[in-house]
């Protein structure tokens, strides 16, 4: 079966032009003009922007208390056709077993295609050997947490250095959650001793300097270990500058930021009636000047991707209320997989902060490259036919009533929409239309991410060793 998406404005990370996309089965067969006559059916895309399906390189379905894959239709209606999810590790479990267990939860349930990152929650003595196994399981990256001291996530430097060396030797991308844990521990103790328990104190307990220090620290350790580095969810100007400057000096250091750090700020944590708890995530929302610096960073390529860090904490606002009387007990995490692309379009493209090409790069092309997903993120023959027809004329507002994320709130309530995905195709199949999920659940397939991905591109000759 051949389908032609005709007469849309095709937007890539480099160019845009009015034309057609010919889909043969699940794959893009051709991009050009006058392709309709070759197709069995034609979808008229006149007036639409034709974009690659989004790739969200950072989601938490099931980790950090997040809801599971039965809520992934939210990704689809928002234009994201691939998620890369963090597989939580149980105590005593290997990283590879954790990934395979997590994959079983997604199979037949996930509504978009999915790959996995590993995340260390039990740094066993054989951690380096476990990291070395990850490429065999289609996992190209492992995240370690310098923060969350006192929980299974936290990792001390000695282990981190060993992990970096193992990652470097096997082409696994080392991802870090870079916040200085001791600043956070001390600040939290001081604030609680003063009786300061409200959600806004989550920000004061994790000040910008904690992230700046953590980021510089991680970059230095990576230099010592000769390991490429990906700094996740960069939120402060100084951390962003540390990533940018290290890269400029020839160290393979990259960073991403997230929708909420670009579009929300610390004032949301101060919302009355404990509403601020809905916005508790780590690192925390920052004062506006950091958001401004992050927009400049994504526009100029100093940060390579915008992810959602989607974490729809099960139980919604009621679960967040577990932290009433002690902000440090508020479960961390912000939902956002559904709104990531629409928010970035409305707040980025429409406000002139980024071009449409940059939008495509940040939401699809670059994350696919970061993760090593070879057939995702581009409108190019041979790539998967993951395609969004974006209707720029639609006007509305983001609201929880339209959310498929499974919570009783969203992070972007009331924000204006400047268009929306009119149709979303996953490997050639229509899965979402006008904000509704229109396919059977669970059509997503597991993807194998290739090691020696972007962080290694200028670094290693081994990239060709892995084919799946
Ligand atoms: O608050 C957040 N970001 N929850 C998910 C965990 C993480 O550190 O990414
Ligand atoms: Zn993190
Ligand atoms: Zn995260």
């Amino acid at each position: 079966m051949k389908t032609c998406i005709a007469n849309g404005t095709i937007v890539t990370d480099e160019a845009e032009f009015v034309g057609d996309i010919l889909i043969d089965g699940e794959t893009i067969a051709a991009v050009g003009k006058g392709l309709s006559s070759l197709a069995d059916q034609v979808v008229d895309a006149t007036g639409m922007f034709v974009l690659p399906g989004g790739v969200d390189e950072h989601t938490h379905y099931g980790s950090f208390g997040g809801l599971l894959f039965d809520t992934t239709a939210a990704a689809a209606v928002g234009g994201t056709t691939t998620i890369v999810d963090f597989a939580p590790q149980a105590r005593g479990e290997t990283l590879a077993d954790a990934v395979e267990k997590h994959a079983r939860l997604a199979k037949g349930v996930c509504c978009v295609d999915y790959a996995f990152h590993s995340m260390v929650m039990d740094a066993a003595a054989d951690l380096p050997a476990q990291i070395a196994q990850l490429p065999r399981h289609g996992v190209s990256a492992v995240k370690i947490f310098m923060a969350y001291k006192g929980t299974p996530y936290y990792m001390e430097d000695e282990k981190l250095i060993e992990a970096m060396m193992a990652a470097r030797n096997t082409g696994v991308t080392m991802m870090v959650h870079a916040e200085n844990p001791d600043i956070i521990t001390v600040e939290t103790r001081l604030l609680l001793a003063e009786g300061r328990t409200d959600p806004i104190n989550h920000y004061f307990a994790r000040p910008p300097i904690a992230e700046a220090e953590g980021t510089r620290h991680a970059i230095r350790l990576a230099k010592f270990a000769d390991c490429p580095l990906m700094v996740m969810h960069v939120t402060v100007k100084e951390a962003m500058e540390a990533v940018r400057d290290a890269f400029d000096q020839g160290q393979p250091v990259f960073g991403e930021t997230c929708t909420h750090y670009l579009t929300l700020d610390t004032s949301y944590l101060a919302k009355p009636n404990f509403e601020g708890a809905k916005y508790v995530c780590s690192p925390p929302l920052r004062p506006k000047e950091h958001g401004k610096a992050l927009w400049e960073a994504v526009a100029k390529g100093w940060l390579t991707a915008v992810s959602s860090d989607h974490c729809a904490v099960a139980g919604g606002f009621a679960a967040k209320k577990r932290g009433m009387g002690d902000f440090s007990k508020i479960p961390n995490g912000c939902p956002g997989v559904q709104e990531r692309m629409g928010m970035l379009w409305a707040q980025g493209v429409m406000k002139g902060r980024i071009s449409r090409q940059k939008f495509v790069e940040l939401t699809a092309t670059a994350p696919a490259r970061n993760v090593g997903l070879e057939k995702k993120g581009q409108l190019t023959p041979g790539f998967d036919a993951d395609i969004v027809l974006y209707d720029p004329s639609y006007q509305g507002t983001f609201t929880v009533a339209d959310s498929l994320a499974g919570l009783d709130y969203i992070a972007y309530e009331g924000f204006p929409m400047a268009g929306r995905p009119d149709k979303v195709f996953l490997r050639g199949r229509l899965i979402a239309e006008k904000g509704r999920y229109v396919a059977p659940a669970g059509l997503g397939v597991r993807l194998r991410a290739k090691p020696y991905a972007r962080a290694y591109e200028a670094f290693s000759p081994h990239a060709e060793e892995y084919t799946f």
Side-chain angles (χ1 to χ4, degrees), residues 58-83:
H58 184 162
T59 64
H60 295 280
Y61 285 97
S63 56
F64 285 90
L67 290 171
L68 276 164
F69 296 100
D70 55 348
T71 57
T72 46
V77 299
T80 290
T81 46
T82 300
I83 56 168

Side-chain angles (χ1 to χ4, degrees), residues 58-60 63-64 86 143 145 148 177 232-233 256 258 282 307-311:
H58 184 162
T59 64
H60 295 280
S63 56
F64 285 90
F86 283 91
K143 184 174 174 191
F145 297 86
Y148 304 124
H177 180 126
M232 306 308 279
H233 43 45
E256 60 148 33
C258 312
S282 293
S307 72
S308 68
D309 198 357
H310 177 82
C311 184

Side-chain angles (χ1 to χ4, degrees), residues 23-93:
I23 303 168
D24 188 355
E26 299 195 334
T27 307
I28 296 174
V31 180
K33 288 191 186 283
L35 300 176
S36 298
S37 61
L38 303 174
D40 305 302
Q41 62 170 358
V42 176
V43 177
D44 182 18
T46 305
M48 303 279 168
F49 289 108
V50 183
L51 313 170
V55 178
D56 193 338
E57 66 177 15
H58 184 162
T59 64
H60 295 280
Y61 285 97
S63 56
F64 285 90
L67 290 171
L68 276 164
F69 296 100
D70 55 348
T71 57
T72 46
V77 299
T80 290
T81 46
T82 300
I83 56 168
V84 192
D85 199 59
F86 283 91
Q89 180 192 23
R91 207 171 164 73
E93 189 177 44

Side-chain angles (χ1 to χ4, degrees), residues 171-195:
V172 171
T173 299
M174 174 55 61
M175 296 175 156
V176 283
H177 180 126
E179 288 183 287
N180 179 297
D182 299 308
I183 292 177
I184 296 167
T185 304
V186 171
E187 278 295 335
T188 302
R189 197 162 49 228
L190 292 173
L191 288 161
L192 290 174
E194 286 174 19

